[in-house]
């Protein structure tokens, strides 16, 4: 017999696979970061390329090894995100890189965090089939993210970074498929 928590977990994993697959492609991400409490803003444009990772692929196996998961554990699906960011005002290149995401149950395993190059995990859930919510905690900080698919051509994102219960930064993003 399948328990309700197993059904929910399977449902969330399949929703995550569908979300990752719907996100495959290249996106132009217009980002605005607000530093709190001052309200100082920074505007960025990123080009993001997202690929879907199938269960059992080499990148997901390496990601599982980074997290010291047993060899018998297979991440169910994942995504690879490649980005290059430019400051919108100065036109200066800010950053570029790659991040791997892999799922198992209601946990997303990442090869790096926002503010660390070390592997991190996030808990995720879906308030509806087109909205993915993540909560990541490390270095006494909390990163809460909401990613929403808006039709097939747009995504919105919002990130809130907090430490000791105080919000430090809000990031808002509009991503357009290119």
């Amino acid at each position: 017999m399948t328990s309700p928590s197993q059904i929910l977990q399977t449902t969330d994993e399949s929703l995550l696979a569908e979300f990752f697959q719907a996100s495959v492609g290249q996106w132009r991400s217009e980002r605005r970061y607000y530093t709190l409490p001052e309200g100082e803003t920074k505007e960025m444009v990123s080009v993001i390329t997202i690929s879907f990772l199938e269960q059992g692929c080499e990148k997901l196996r390496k990601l599982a090894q980074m997290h010291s998961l047993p060899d018998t554990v297979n991440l169910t699906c994942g995504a690879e995100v490649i980005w290059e960011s430019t400051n919108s005002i100065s036109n200066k290149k800010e950053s570029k890189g790659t991040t791997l995401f892999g799922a198992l149950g209601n946990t997303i395993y990442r090869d790096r965090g926002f503010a660390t190059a070390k592997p991190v995990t996030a808990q995720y859930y879906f308030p509806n089939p087109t909205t993915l919510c993540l909560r990541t905690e490390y270095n006494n900080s909390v990163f809460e993210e909401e990613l929403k698919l808006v039709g097939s051509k747009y995504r919105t994102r919002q990130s809130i970074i907090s430490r000791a219960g105080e919000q430090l930064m809000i990031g808002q993003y509009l991503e357009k498929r290119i």
Side-chain angles (χ1 to χ4, degrees):
M1 183 169 162
T2 305
S3 74
S5 66
Q6 287 174 314
I7 292 170
L8 178 63
Q9 188 172 31
T10 303
T11 301
D12 280 354
E13 285 179 335
S14 63
L15 282 174
L16 186 63
E18 290 172 20
F19 191 92
F20 283 159
Q21 288 170 333
S23 297
V24 166
Q26 198 167 50
W27 300 84
R28 175 184 165 86
S29 179
E30 298 173 10
R31 304 165 176 230
R32 178 174 281 165
Y33 296 99
Y34 300 93
T35 303
L36 304 174
E38 301 84 20
E40 203 174 293
T41 62
K42 183 175 188 177
E43 294 186 24
M44 308 282 290
V45 172
S46 300
V47 174
I48 299 170
T49 304
I50 300 173
S51 303
F52 182 74
L53 301 176
E54 298 274 350
Q55 184 175 26
C57 76
E58 183 62 26
K59 290 178 181 179
L60 287 181
R61 285 198 304 271
K62 286 184 179 179
L63 182 59
Q65 289 172 351
M66 286 179 170
H67 284 274
S68 301
L69 296 174
D71 290 340
T72 56
V73 171
N74 282 317
L75 299 173
T76 57
C77 69
E80 178 180 48
V81 179
I82 301 169
W83 78 91
E84 187 168 324
S85 300
T86 304
N87 184 303
S88 297
I89 308 302
S90 69
N91 218 21
K92 178 184 171 201
K93 298 276 185 212
E94 292 277 335
S95 67
K96 67 179 187 175
T98 303
T99 302
L100 297 177
F101 298 84
L104 185 62
N106 287 90
T107 301
I108 291 182
Y109 294 83
R110 296 176 59 166
D111 64 339
R112 59 176 295 131
F114 300 106
T116 181
K118 294 179 182 177
V120 299
T121 59
Q123 299 306 302
Y124 76 92
Y125 69 94
F126 284 89
N128 63 63
T130 61
T131 306
L132 169 62
C133 295
L134 302 165
R135 181 182 175 92
T136 310
E137 297 184 39
Y138 59 87
N139 295 343
N140 298 316
S141 295
V142 176
F143 303 82
E144 295 174 290
E145 278 191 284
E146 178 186 273
L147 296 89
K148 183 175 186 74
L149 293 167
V150 183
S152 62
K153 296 181 183 173
Y154 300 95
R155 294 185 350 155
T156 60
R157 291 173 48 197
Q158 179 163 282
S159 302
I160 301 171
I161 303 170
S162 305
R163 183 173 291 135
E166 185 176 333
Q167 291 75 30
L168 302 176
M169 182 177 285
I170 298 172
Q172 295 181 315
Y173 318 72
L174 173 61
E175 298 178 341
K176 300 173 194 173
R177 192 179 294 276
I178 51 177

